[in-house]
Amino acid sequence: MRHKELRLALVCYGGVSLAVYMHGVTKEVWHLARASRAFHAHEAEQLTGEALAYRDFLAAIEKRSSLRLRVLPDILTGASAGGINAVFLAQAIASGQSLEPLTDLWLENADVSELTDPDAQPVWRYGKIWAQPIAEWFLRQPGNVVSASVSPETREEVRSKVSRLVRGRWFSPPFSGDRFSEMLFDALASMAGQQTGRPLVPPGHPVDLFVTATDFRGHIQTLRLNSPELVEETEHRLPICFRTQASVDGSALLGDPLELVFAARATASFPGAFPPLRLEEIDRLAALKGLDWASREDFLERVLPVHRRGGMEDIVSLIDGSVLVNAPFGGAIAALGGRPSQREVDRRFVYIEPRPVRNATGEDARAPIGFFGAIFGSLSTIPREQPIRDDLERIARQSRDAARLRRIMQALRPEIDRAVEALFGYTFFLDKPTPKRLANWRAKAQNAAAQKAGFAFHAYAQTKFMGIIERLAGLVHDAAPELALRDSSPIARRLRDHLAQSGLDALAGEKGGASPAAIAFLRAHDLGFRIRRLQWLARRASREWESDPDISDDALDIARGHIYAILAKYEDADRIAVESRSFQKLAAKVMEHPGDVLDYLAKTRLLPQTDLEAEELLADSLEQMPKNLRQQMLLTYLGFPYYDVATLPLMQRDTLEEFNPARIDRISPDDARSIREGGTKATLRGIEFYNFGAFFSREYRENDYLWGRLHGAERMIDIAASTVESGLDAAFLRQSKRAVFLAILDEEAAARRCAAGLIATLRAEVEARLSEP
């Protein structure tokens, strides 16, 4: 049996009222992850409906292909209304809470009548009576915006609601920011009251959330040039990031609910519709709910560091994140770091694009652009249509690099195995691997790898040295915000200069290998090498030894458990060292006393001591392994210095982590045609009225929500099936989709959230298109 993890980095675009469709899609990601958690853990969890159908689908994949697949959505990014969906899905994944309350938020509250500020409502039916004839005339003229972009059956509803907006408050945003924030908070509170099980990722696995906001006035950032040396520019992009490591019981949340509301409200603050978000709005919400926002200062220090230093955090104004970054692939790419992998990983970047084709053709292309078209186009449509080619090419380039690195390491393996065997002789595999022997063997292998590298060792040593310096500088930079440095580069230069003055200006020894000073420095500070070695062991246990019929799954599980227990000791080293106030004080004076910082880190992290503890665990683990697995582990562990010398200058990274090629998938109406052809125009109603349509009609929201669920289900089945290298037959996939589609419609019929006629129509289409021939 092969094991594989399908890891999803989900990117949710902005799309105004098409956020309702995106919610339907993210709900299916959630249900599939729930089913995967239960299936993988052999739980007796009472799954029903589509979650049970997804579990049956995963079981059928295992039966047909001997592949046990686990689905882990662990990176969530979003902008604008897509950012709201990313926030709620990330919370559900990290905590095990239910995503169901968000459905009510979209279906009931995402309406102009609910969002409009009470002060912006006409106080009586004849309010602004002089404006009524203008509104009626404008909204009923041939070719007007409603007639041109709204379906006949809902035009009266849309005209009525638009008329109220026209007669309401002018020259101020019509929607209430406070009301919106309270809605978001109430939805999070409802989620917290509906726990559906454990988190949807394993304990200790990171969950990352990244949403974009736009700082309207901007903040000053410093750029380093050749001349002049320093210049200042105004930066408007404002990422809001959260990370947590999943706990066993779901207690490790992404952040305080007020902070999640801050992120969701900021990213969806559509210009002109909502007032910009200011901190006082969240403070009012905390007072309204009687909450003590204990982490307020730490949150502001992390999210608004520049504003905090200038004492300006209370007046910063945040607007819609999609104004500048509508497709936040960059945040998803950056979040790949620091992710363990106990199994083979199939990493996917999945982006939700409700309306992939928008360019006008034919008569539409010849028509003049009207008043509303120009305004909404410049504020909403154009930023959302900027190509994502650069991001996709960046992912493709990383994937090519990862594939090349894997081929290099595979090609090196036979020669490295022979070198290790020649260095120690075959008899060492018969010896009991005590901690003392492992330490001696490790030192001997590292020295031999350095000696045999020749001139290549110089490039390796410099790459390793620079990686260590950058890691240490990053720790200092994070601990000393009062230095007011944009990045850690000045700190890295200061540490480098100090080490050169202390005699570490040459890393190589006269007779090859590392110099004594370099060896002492590496023993004290080279955390990256230790982590890479364990990651390489874990990778081979996950991808290669699993296919060896002579190595049992139980033996591999024990081996992986020991590897990750050792890895946890090293990964805690930085955290333990920098959490103390003592380090923060030293970090603030790094420019004057860099040696004090290095000495503190060497004494606090105690890497040589951790090496001894790690080798005790490893020796114990090896003793429990069958002979063939123990031999493979020793060859890999002792051979790693050879791999590292050859590959580190190519990687230019100090950890391996996910160096699998990543693939990109899209979820859109144009990609999900099992039920109905025609893509977006044939299925979604929120595209009307410049993508605001669903905010004016409950009927439209129900339609788009249901299609989001159906399209999300279809594409998630397609994506999961694509992990099976041998492929799955079309008839099986068709029946799997049919089972999930009908389960979704049965659930919605029982919930009575959507019109019975709409559900009946969709059910008939499913039966007609997907029944057995």
Side-chain angles (χ1 to χ4, degrees), residues 552-569:
S552 70
D553 286 346
D554 289 341
L556 281 173
D557 283 338
I558 292 172
R560 282 190 287 257
H562 280 87
I563 291 169
Y564 280 95
I566 299 168
L567 192 56
K569 287 183 171 294

Side-chain angles (χ1 to χ4, degrees), residues 138-425:
F138 175 75
L139 295 173
R140 294 183 183 278
Q141 282 295 297
N144 69 77
V145 66
V146 176
S147 300
S149 64
V150 177
S151 298
E153 65 271 21
T154 57
R155 285 176 187 168
E156 286 305 315
E157 179 185 7
V158 173
R159 285 192 179 106
S160 173
K161 291 178 179 178
V162 172
S163 175
R164 289 181 66 83
L165 286 179
V166 170
R167 292 182 295 112
R169 179 176 62 193
W170 285 13
F171 307 116
S172 294
F175 297 156
S176 168
D178 286 81
R179 181 178 287 190
F180 191 23
S181 290
E182 187 176 0
M183 288 177 181
L184 293 168
F185 181 88
D186 289 344
L188 285 168
S190 297
M191 286 179 63
Q194 297 187 32
Q195 192 83 8
T196 63
R198 295 180 294 102
L200 303 188
V201 295
H205 193 90
V207 177
D208 284 274
L209 169 65
F210 175 99
V211 299
T212 63
T214 304
D215 181 356
F216 184 81
R217 294 189 176 90
H219 50 278
I220 299 298
Q221 294 282 17
T222 303
L223 296 181
R224 295 185 177 275
L225 308 178
N226 179 56
S227 63
E229 183 178 355
L230 297 176
V231 297
E232 292 183 341
E233 69 168 9
T234 302
E235 175 64 79
H236 293 272
R237 290 173 298 179
L238 189 79
I240 304 174
C241 310
F242 299 85
R243 167 174 272 211
T244 190
Q245 290 186 320
S247 61
V248 174
D249 58 359
S251 58
L253 303 181
L254 283 165
D256 187 289
L258 293 170
E259 294 162 13
L260 297 178
V261 170
F262 181 101
R265 167 72 175 87
T267 192
S269 185
F270 193 86
F274 290 99
L277 173 66
R278 297 182 67 154
L279 185 58
E280 61 188 5
E281 184 179 310
I282 306 301
D283 289 334
R284 286 196 298 271
L285 176 64
L288 176 68
K289 301 296 182 180
L291 299 174
D292 175 23
W293 186 3
S295 58
R296 182 181 187 273
E297 300 309 310
D298 290 339
F299 174 72
L300 296 178
E301 187 65 51
R302 179 168 60 84
V303 175
L304 301 170
V306 177
H307 303 85
R308 286 278 289 168
R309 288 196 290 270
M312 306 285 283
E313 68 270 23
D314 290 328
I315 62 172
V316 63
S317 296
L318 303 180
I319 63 172
D320 197 300
S322 65
V323 171
L324 294 176
V325 185
N326 185 59
F329 279 90
I333 296 170
L336 287 178
R339 316 194 89 74
S341 56
Q342 291 180 279
R343 306 286 186 188
E344 180 181 355
V345 173
D346 189 336
R347 166 61 69 186
R348 305 294 180 92
F349 287 82
V350 180
Y351 66 99
I352 305 174
E353 171 57 294
R355 193 176 181 184
V357 179
R358 305 186 188 86
N359 58 305
T361 58
E363 292 300 321
D364 290 339
R366 296 185 179 90
I369 297 174
F371 176 75
F372 274 99
I375 293 175
F376 285 125
S378 61
L379 294 180
S380 172
T381 308
I382 291 176
R384 289 173 171 79
E385 292 182 4
Q386 287 304 293
I388 59 172
R389 185 181 304 109
D390 291 346
D391 290 314
L392 300 188
E393 287 179 352
R394 179 182 170 190
I395 295 170
R397 185 167 57 252
Q398 285 190 197
S399 296
R400 289 193 298 270
D401 292 343
R404 183 170 65 249
L405 180 63
R406 287 172 58 186
R407 288 194 296 269
I408 290 171
M409 297 184 88
Q410 288 169 357
L412 289 171
R413 186 174 307 145
E415 185 176 350
I416 290 175
D417 287 351
R418 287 194 296 270
V420 174
E421 290 169 352
L423 182 64
F424 294 100

Side-chain angles (χ1 to χ4, degrees), residues 16-221:
V16 198
S17 75
L18 293 175
V20 181
Y21 172 84
M22 285 186 278
H23 166 62
V25 173
T26 57
K27 198 168 184 179
E28 295 313 300
V29 175
W30 174 64
H31 278 307
L32 178 56
R34 288 179 59 223
S36 172
R37 175 193 61 194
F39 173 67
H40 183 79
H42 303 285
E43 294 176 350
E45 180 181 348
Q46 295 299 312
L47 296 178
T48 58
E50 66 284 353
L52 182 59
Y54 282 130
R55 182 171 180 169
D56 292 342
F57 171 64
L58 295 173
I61 287 179
E62 180 177 311
K63 184 177 180 181
R64 289 167 175 266
S65 64
S66 296
L67 176 66
R68 191 169 185 82
L69 183 67
R70 180 160 191 180
V71 182
L72 298 177
D74 59 349
I75 299 173
L76 298 306
T77 75
S80 193
I84 297 177
N85 283 305
V87 167
F88 280 84
L89 180 58
Q91 177 77 334
I93 290 167
S95 65
Q97 296 171 1
S98 173
L99 199 63
E100 290 292 343
L102 189 55
T103 300
D104 294 333
L105 172 72
W106 286 122
L107 293 183
E108 296 178 12
N109 295 335
D111 190 283
V112 294
S113 299
E114 296 295 327
L115 293 171
T116 301
D117 191 322
D119 293 337
Q121 297 273 14
V123 294
W124 63 311
R125 62 173 301 187
Y126 299 109
K128 285 194 178 174
I129 192 170
W130 55 268
Q132 181 68 25
I134 299 174
E136 290 292 326
W137 176 84
F138 175 75
L139 295 173
R140 294 183 183 278
Q141 282 295 297
N144 69 77
V145 66
V146 176
S147 300
S149 64
V150 177
S151 298
E153 65 271 21
T154 57
R155 285 176 187 168
E156 286 305 315
E157 179 185 7
V158 173
R159 285 192 179 106
S160 173
K161 291 178 179 178
V162 172
S163 175
R164 289 181 66 83
L165 286 179
V166 170
R167 292 182 295 112
R169 179 176 62 193
W170 285 13
F171 307 116
S172 294
F175 297 156
S176 168
D178 286 81
R179 181 178 287 190
F180 191 23
S181 290
E182 187 176 0
M183 288 177 181
L184 293 168
F185 181 88
D186 289 344
L188 285 168
S190 297
M191 286 179 63
Q194 297 187 32
Q195 192 83 8
T196 63
R198 295 180 294 102
L200 303 188
V201 295
H205 193 90
V207 177
D208 284 274
L209 169 65
F210 175 99
V211 299
T212 63
T214 304
D215 181 356
F216 184 81
R217 294 189 176 90
H219 50 278
I220 299 298
Q221 294 282 17

Side-chain angles (χ1 to χ4, degrees), residues 449-458 512-513:
Q451 293 287 343
K452 290 191 175 184
F455 289 110
F457 180 78
H458 295 275

Side-chain angles (χ1 to χ4, degrees), residues 592-637:
E592 296 86 12
H593 306 291
D596 292 347
V597 171
L598 294 173
D599 290 344
Y600 177 88
L601 290 172
K603 292 176 182 177
T604 310
R605 296 200 296 174
L606 292 174
L607 296 184
Q609 177 63 34
T610 306
D611 290 341
L612 297 177
E613 297 173 11
E615 273 152 356
E616 288 178 2
L617 284 172
L618 184 58
D620 181 61
S621 173
L622 290 167
E623 191 171 355
Q624 299 178 47
M625 292 179 191
K627 180 181 176 182
N628 53 352
L629 179 57
R630 181 168 65 245
Q631 180 173 338
Q632 293 285 358
M633 286 278 286
L634 281 170
L635 281 171
T636 302
Y637 183 75

